[in-house]
Amino acid sequence: MKHYPNHLDLQPALHASGSVRLPGSKSISNRILLLAALAQGSTRILELLASDDTHVMLMALQQLGVKWEQEGESRNYVVHGAGGTFPVHQADLFMGNAGTAIRPLTAALAVMGGDYTLHGVPRMHERPIGDLVEALNAAGTQIEYTGVEGYPPLRIRRGHLHAERMRVRGNVSSQFLTALLMAAPLMARSHAVTIEVVGELISRPYIEITLNLIRRFGVTVERHGWQAFTVQAGQHYTSPGSIHVEGDASSASYFLAAGAIAGGPVRVEGVGRDSIQGDVRFVEALQQMGVTISMGENWIEAQGGASLHAIDADFNHIPDAAMTIAVMALYADGTSTLRNIASWRVKETDRIAAMATELRKLGATVEEGADYLRITPPAQLQAAAIDTYDDHRMAMCFSLASLDGALRRGARVRINDPKCVAKTFPDYFEAFARVAQNKLF
Ligand SMILES: O=C(O)C1=C[C@@H](OP(=O)(O)O)[C@@H](O)[C@H](O)C1
Ligand SMILES: C=C(OP(=O)(O)O)C(=O)O
């Protein structure tokens, strides 16, 4: 969107159908950027996501002396790998609110050693990073908190790393383990490195994305269930030549939900049966709710039926796409319960609290627990101005409440501060308006 208004008014839409070409996956884009920067050789990246989160990663790499070019105006980039150590040893890096940038970069920079500071938007300074910092510092890196202990901003100095066994807690964010896994080959020059997970590991499918991409860059990680991961000595990242970024499966959820609520069929292109992203399992929840799903190698289509069934399920494996289910619950035939979603509280906002507050504005009855939400839809949705808390997913999933479902009509929905979608999907509202046949512009 070129000019962001302060708010967008979405009129109720009778029907949603059509097809959408998805932007690239945020999780894959930022991992590939860092791996390509660490690798030997140049990597051509096809269809990189263009958004705030990838922008902060690209800018940080540039400041660190990594050379990259964009191919014209396209989404294709070439990153010239620095081969294990970045050329610039002192930098002040702005990380916005991108968890996929600050966490892996912290580990990589701490292992390399140098004098770096990492900071972000105010919310980033409330998002935990202590488990990662503790794991690294126990291995001899030197990371200090310059604000509140356990949170960014961070200062990294030159430490004396000696890591053969590292331990990290997995129950706050899987990104801490991802960060250590990505940095492990930089530590494993002369000896193997084993990373152990302490306690429960959440958001597990994101670790599978990490392992998959590390392997594409030529490093093998031996895996002992979800408990421990070993990188043998002497491995280093090498460019795969060129690598393609799949469409974003979390972004797909909004369009598939639109097809599910308001008739469909709605097709998303760029992600499908062969996806490496856990969020494609969103379609399993849709199927439980009675939605008809078809899938090809590189596309998914959703078609809604007479009504949507309420759902009661554990959503720990798809924390981002599960927000879409919470809004779909407004259209279901009974009370839905989303369980095991405690990590929502430490993301772009406290998403459990924000979701409960905004669903209530539309007339839902919502019970909020430490790690769950229970949502009972109203007889009829009521018009509401939705606050988005600088959270792209709040803005995107609440657009769905403007759709007419089989059991209840959509409401007039005002989305406040719609520009927050720029974190992962700058053109979201144009794409939504096309599918929802909603005359936004
Ligand atoms: O590794 C990743 O790419 C991500 C992991 C998840 O975070 P947590 O592991 O903190 O749940 C997810 O919510 C985030 O959007 C992206
Ligand atoms: C939690 C999210 O982002 P981040 O990568 O910053 O953790 C998200 O995109 O929903």
Side-chain angles (χ1 to χ4, degrees):
M1 200 181 297
K2 286 193 194 70
H3 303 288
Y4 289 104
N6 291 335
H7 56 76
L8 273 180
D9 285 320
L10 305 180
Q11 301 304 323
L14 280 175
H15 188 74
S17 62
S19 88
V20 177
R21 174 107 219 130
L22 295 166
S25 153
K26 168 199 75 172
S27 296
I28 296 178
S29 292
N30 269 353
R31 282 169 172 77
I32 289 180
L33 282 173
L34 181 57
L35 292 169
L38 293 171
Q40 290 175 358
S42 299
T43 303
R44 183 159 184 250
I45 306 173
L46 306 175
E47 295 194 65
L48 190 79
L49 170 65
S51 78
D52 286 355
D53 276 12
T54 50
H55 182 74
V56 295
M57 181 64 108
L58 280 164
M59 289 301 121
L61 294 176
Q62 185 168 305
Q63 274 180 270
L64 292 164
V66 176
K67 304 267 183 267
W68 54 260
E69 301 105 41
Q70 183 177 5
E71 294 181 352
E73 296 286 290
S74 76
R75 301 269 160 92
N76 303 340
Y77 286 72
V78 177
V79 175
H80 303 287
T85 323
F86 294 143
V88 174
H89 301 293
Q90 194 168 14
D92 178 39
L93 304 170
F94 174 68
M95 301 276 89
N97 196 5
T100 55
I102 196 170
R103 280 129 178 199
L105 266 174
T106 294
L109 293 174
V111 167
M112 284 176 203
D115 191 351
Y116 303 105
T117 50
L118 291 91
H119 59 99
V121 300
R123 175 61 182 173
M124 179 62 104
H125 300 170
E126 296 172 353
R127 296 184 64 187
I129 198 161
D131 293 336
L132 175 62
V133 169
E134 268 175 40
L136 285 161
N137 281 352
T141 68
Q142 209 185 322
I143 308 173
E144 293 161 12
Y145 304 107
T146 65
V148 179
E149 189 169 335
Y151 300 87
L154 302 176
R155 175 146 189 208
I156 298 174
R157 295 170 202 258
R158 194 169 292 282
H160 294 283
L161 186 70
H162 188 75
E164 283 174 29
R165 265 198 130 64
M166 301 182 78
R167 289 159 62 80
V168 67
R169 271 160 37 105
N171 66 344
V172 171
S173 169
S174 71
Q175 291 176 358
F176 306 147
L177 175 59
T178 279
L180 294 179
L181 288 168
M182 289 175 76
L186 312 180
M187 305 183 238
R189 297 243 156 87
S190 54
H191 52 76
V193 173
T194 295
I195 301 162
E196 285 173 12
V197 181
V198 181
E200 188 210 352
L201 176 64
I202 64 163
S203 303
R204 292 177 178 185
Y206 289 97
I207 299 304
E208 285 174 342
I209 301 180
T210 304
L211 296 176
N212 184 299
L213 294 174
I214 287 177
R215 191 160 55 241
R216 300 278 292 278
F217 280 82
V219 168
T220 310
V221 179
E222 289 159 28
R223 183 178 162 169
H224 318 282
W226 296 103
Q227 257 69 62
F229 302 82
T230 301
V231 176
Q232 292 299 342
Q235 301 193 76
H236 51 258
Y237 291 125
T238 48
S239 163
S242 75
I243 187 160
H244 175 252
V245 178
E246 292 177 13
D248 194 296
S250 321
S251 299
S253 71
Y254 312 110
F255 302 102
L256 296 173
I261 294 167
V266 174
R267 180 180 283 217
V268 292
E269 286 168 25
V271 77
R273 202 189 291 126
D274 294 344
S275 174
I276 64 168
Q277 298 168 73
D279 265 9
V280 288
R281 291 184 58 198
F282 172 74
V283 301
E284 294 169 9
L286 290 188
Q287 283 166 325
Q288 280 182 51
M289 295 177 89
V291 180
T292 306
I293 297 292
S294 341
M295 255 184 168
E297 212 175 286
N298 205 28
W299 58 270
I300 308 174
E301 194 171 278
Q303 181 146 25
S307 66
L308 280 176
H309 304 314
I311 187 167
D312 180 340
D314 182 322
F315 286 102
N316 193 274
H317 60 302
I318 55 166
D320 295 354
M323 290 178 74
T324 312
I325 299 286
V327 177
M328 288 181 71
L330 290 170
Y331 294 92
D333 59 5
T335 298
S336 293
T337 307
L338 285 75
R339 299 180 189 275
N340 206 1
I341 52 169
S343 74
W344 281 23
R345 293 207 183 267
V346 292
K347 298 197 191 257
E348 279 76 338
T349 185
D350 176 341
R351 287 176 166 171
I352 294 187
M355 183 61 75
T357 304
E358 303 309 310
L359 288 173
R360 285 182 191 127
K361 286 185 185 169
L362 289 156
T365 304
V366 184
E367 182 187 323
E368 175 190 333
D371 67 348
Y372 74 90
L373 275 177
R374 183 164 291 132
I375 303 156
T376 307
Q380 180 52 44
L381 301 191
Q382 66 209 30
I386 301 297
D387 289 316
T388 50
Y389 308 79
D390 207 12
D391 182 349
H392 54 142
R393 296 200 196 284
M394 287 296 287
M396 294 190 282
C397 63
F398 274 92
S399 65
L400 297 169
S402 64
L403 298 172
D404 278 353
L407 295 181
R408 45 193 78 82
R409 314 239 1 231
R412 266 183 300 114
V413 176
R414 169 169 289 186
I415 303 285
N416 286 329
D417 190 28
K419 72 176 184 310
C420 62
V421 298
K423 187 175 193 284
T424 53
F425 199 159
D427 299 333
Y428 173 74
F429 286 105
E430 283 92 334
F432 178 75
R434 276 196 303 275
V435 165
Q437 293 147 26
N438 193 319
K439 293 199 179 42
L440 251 188
F441 305 101

